[in-house]
Amino acid sequence: MSIHIGAAPGQISDTVLLPGDPLRAEWIATTYLEDAVCYSKVRNMLGFTGTYRGHRISVQGTGMGQPSLAIYVHELLAEYGAQTLVRVGSCGGLLETVKVRDIVVAMSGCTDSSLNELRFEGFDFAPTADFSLVRGYVERAEAAAVPHHVGQIFSTDAFYHDRPELRERLTQYGVLAIEMETSALYTLAAKFGARALSVNTVSDNLVTGEALSSEERERSFADMVELTLATVTA
Ligand SMILES: O=P(O)(O)O[C@H]1O[C@H](CO)[C@@H](O)[C@H]1O
Ligand SMILES: O=c1cc[nH]c(=O)[nH]1
């Protein structure tokens, strides 16, 4: 058992899906996994392991923001031997063309967080997805004709930002969407030599104001999850 994950060694698969919302983790486990077992309820940050078409898969909630995700991802990598990690999140579209329910496949994650400034002492690290996972995901999204965008995402520390005008700069530079975890996920995967990908369904568009409800953010991201399961079990 690690400090924040109440699982015994061997209870978690080397392939882990990572929604921010623990109730989305439960929805994924009960909807898609056979014989799903809840291995952790510590702080209600639910984690499950089951099988998908014969492959052992875990789903672990990470909470909101990079500090929270970093705790769970560090423990998955350092103590449970995770090798393939895919964030299945929600995000806000920063371009008008990145519409609600589209999927954003994050090739890279920039951030306003100081986590990597402290880690790299002034060097500018570029948190980047695993190419084989990006390719596998995008091939499947294209084949299934699921609307998607591939590019850079912005991981913010502040959902309610004091300087919303900075978002316009990101839009100007073609950053596709905003969320709160990808940069830390890609950084930790690099540190531990693991594969990571972050895919995010657009839950709201910051240009048009269109938005999904909380319940839709918890339970309606089937395309994103099905493409993820197909990619990691290929
Ligand atoms: O829906 P999840 O996966 O939590 O992702 C997004 O939603 C939360 C903010 O509402 C942040 O965690 C952000 O990254
Ligand atoms: O962090 C997030 C997630 C979804 N939508 C946003 O606007 N921001």
Side-chain angles (χ1 to χ4, degrees), residues 17-76:
L17 273 50
L18 302 167
D21 180 354
L23 294 180
R24 191 182 311 138
E26 184 173 49
W27 174 74
I28 293 169
T30 53
T31 306
Y32 292 104
L33 302 186
E34 279 176 41
D35 304 322
V37 171
C38 179
Y39 60 72
S40 184
K41 289 188 175 169
V42 176
R43 293 178 181 242
N44 270 344
M45 196 56 73
L46 304 175
F48 301 84
T49 298
T51 57
Y52 178 77
R53 298 186 179 165
H55 298 266
R56 201 157 170 263
I57 300 285
S58 295
V59 192
Q60 172 66 54
T62 66
M64 292 184 275
Q66 298 190 65
S68 181
L69 171 132
I71 288 171
Y72 296 100
V73 168
H74 177 97
E75 291 180 14
L76 289 168

Side-chain angles (χ1 to χ4, degrees), residues 18-21 24 62-65 87-91 159 178-181 200 217 221:
L18 302 167
D21 180 354
R24 191 182 311 138
T62 66
M64 292 184 275
R87 166 167 158 74
V88 282
S90 67
C91 66
F159 185 88
I178 186 165
E179 49 80 84
M180 301 181 69
E181 291 85 15
N200 299 267
R217 293 173 200 219
F221 294 165

Side-chain angles (χ1 to χ4, degrees), residues 89-105 137 141 145-150 153 176-177 199-205 210 212 220-221 223-224 227:
S90 67
C91 66
L94 291 170
L95 310 180
E96 208 167 337
T97 48
V98 178
K99 296 187 188 308
V100 167
R101 293 203 174 282
D102 290 359
I103 295 172
V104 173
V105 181
Y137 197 93
V146 172
H148 64 285
H149 309 263
V150 187
I153 211 161
L176 297 172
V199 291
N200 299 267
T201 301
V202 180
S203 55
D204 52 299
N205 185 290
E210 197 188 349
L212 298 178
S220 77
F221 294 165
D223 283 346
M224 172 174 70
L227 290 169

